Amino acid sequence: MAPLVTTIEAGTGFWGDVTASMDWCEENYEWTPYIAEFFNSWSSIAMVILGEACARMNPTGNPAFTLLGRSITVVGIGSWLFHATLKYSMQMTDELPMLWSMSIACYICVTTQYSVNKQFIRNVLTLWTLFVTLLTAGFSGKVQFFMFQSSFNFLSLVVAFMCWRGKRELEYANMSHVGDLFSSGIKLYLAAGAVWLTDTNLCQYINGRDSTSILPFNLQLHAWWHVLASLGLVHLVVLLMGHYCLAKDIPFKLKYVYGIFPRICAE
């Protein structure tokens, strides 16, 4: 199938110059003048679909899980806008919801596994997330980059640790088949990280267009990052749902859709 670009020269497009801080390995405006990165944009729909799946499957009765699923949906929409335009303002609609999602996941983990004041934890996470959001959206440079990356990565580590603790408790309750979601989710994330790093750091060797490329075509690895990361995220969210059900004595079953997508169902 030939690219759809006909009225505008390939490499230029409707949205003009790139203002985002990142421009990925995919050739800009190769397929249509209206979407800067065609494959990176449409692969973001994986996050929308799986985010909505998480929001709708929620058997826990805890609205925080529905909010978490919807926040993942927002990440997918923001990612689509970012890759379609490569504008800095749209980059914020991708990155900032990632921080919001991680804050919600952190709230769920902490309040499920520890006896804490839920209102206090909610207020602290909300105020900190709001502060980092305003700083990230309103400023640029090293301070903005450091605040966003350090906050997001710290929350990610907390959530990963809490998922591991949930896995152990599920195993102690003879639910190792649910606890196995941790290892499968982490494996998917590691695979996603590997293709992200390859796409980011070795682009000239795999883009299919430079003289240094060892491949005749672009593998679109960043698009695969979207798909693999979304699948890994679903495994971990379902793990958290299963652990919450265990902690609250809610009967549940783990099922798989098409043998790939995990799903928690109330009994």
Side-chain angles (χ1 to χ4, degrees):
M1 179 180 177
L4 304 178
V5 175
T6 55
T7 60
I8 300 179
E9 181 182 356
T12 63
F14 178 81
W15 301 104
D17 294 336
V18 173
T19 59
S21 62
M22 294 292 293
D23 189 357
W24 306 95
C25 194
E26 182 177 356
E27 181 76 5
N28 295 344
Y29 299 106
E30 183 178 15
W31 291 83
T32 168
Y34 302 106
I35 299 178
E37 295 178 340
F38 187 83
F39 291 102
N40 289 350
S41 295
W42 287 112
S43 61
S44 300
I45 299 300
M47 283 178 272
V48 176
I49 294 172
L50 295 177
E52 281 302 295
C54 288
R56 292 172 182 272
M57 83 168 69
N58 181 10
T60 66
N62 185 347
F65 280 105
T66 300
L67 185 61
L68 176 58
R70 291 278 148 74
S71 69
I72 296 170
T73 298
V74 173
V75 173
I77 295 171
S79 179
W80 197 98
L81 293 172
F82 168 37
H83 289 292
T85 65
L86 291 180
K87 292 296 185 181
Y88 182 77
S89 58
M90 295 298 102
Q91 183 178 348
M92 293 300 98
T93 68
D94 176 24
E95 293 182 353
L96 292 177
M98 291 167 57
L99 180 65
W100 306 341
S101 297
M102 205 55 65
S103 294
I104 297 168
C106 188
Y107 169 80
I108 291 172
C109 290
V110 172
T111 56
T112 301
Q113 299 188 28
Y114 296 100
S115 297
V116 294
N117 186 315
K118 291 184 179 181
Q119 186 63 49
F120 175 76
I121 298 298
R122 186 184 302 120
N123 290 342
V124 169
L125 285 171
T126 299
L127 289 173
W128 180 252
T129 302
L130 180 61
F131 171 71
V132 177
T133 295
L134 293 175
L135 189 66
T136 302
F139 299 92
S140 59
K142 293 182 179 179
V143 174
Q144 175 263 353
F145 178 83
F146 174 78
M147 287 299 296
F148 175 80
Q149 292 295 332
S150 60
S151 296
F152 178 77
N153 290 329
F154 174 75
L155 290 174
S156 298
L157 289 173
V158 171
V159 171
F161 174 71
M162 294 294 187
C163 287
W164 175 75
R165 290 187 82 249
K167 165 189 176 295
R168 288 202 311 167
E169 292 184 12
L170 285 161
E171 289 174 344
Y172 293 153
N174 295 319
M175 294 184 179
S176 58
H177 64 294
V178 183
D180 288 343
L181 289 169
F182 177 79
S183 58
S184 59
I186 293 299
K187 287 176 183 177
L188 284 165
Y189 257 113
L190 289 175
V195 299
W196 189 92
L197 289 170
T198 302
D199 183 80
T200 303
N201 297 296
L202 301 176
C203 180
Q204 63 177 318
Y205 304 110
I206 60 171
N207 59 25
R209 61 179 183 271
D210 290 348
S211 59
T212 54
S213 178
I214 61 176
L215 299 176
F217 55 86
N218 192 326
L219 294 175
Q220 308 299 344
L221 293 183
H222 192 78
W224 283 107
W225 145 259
H226 288 157
V227 175
L228 292 171
S230 298
L231 287 172
L233 187 59
V234 168
H235 279 70
L236 296 180
V237 171
V238 173
L239 170 72
L240 292 179
M241 287 184 180
H243 180 254
Y244 183 91
C245 289
L246 174 67
K248 303 301 180 182
D249 294 320
I250 301 173
F252 71 94
K253 287 184 178 180
L254 174 64
K255 298 181 179 180
Y256 283 86
V257 180
Y258 302 118
I260 300 175
F261 307 104
R263 183 186 181 199
I264 289 288
C265 301
E267 287 188 326

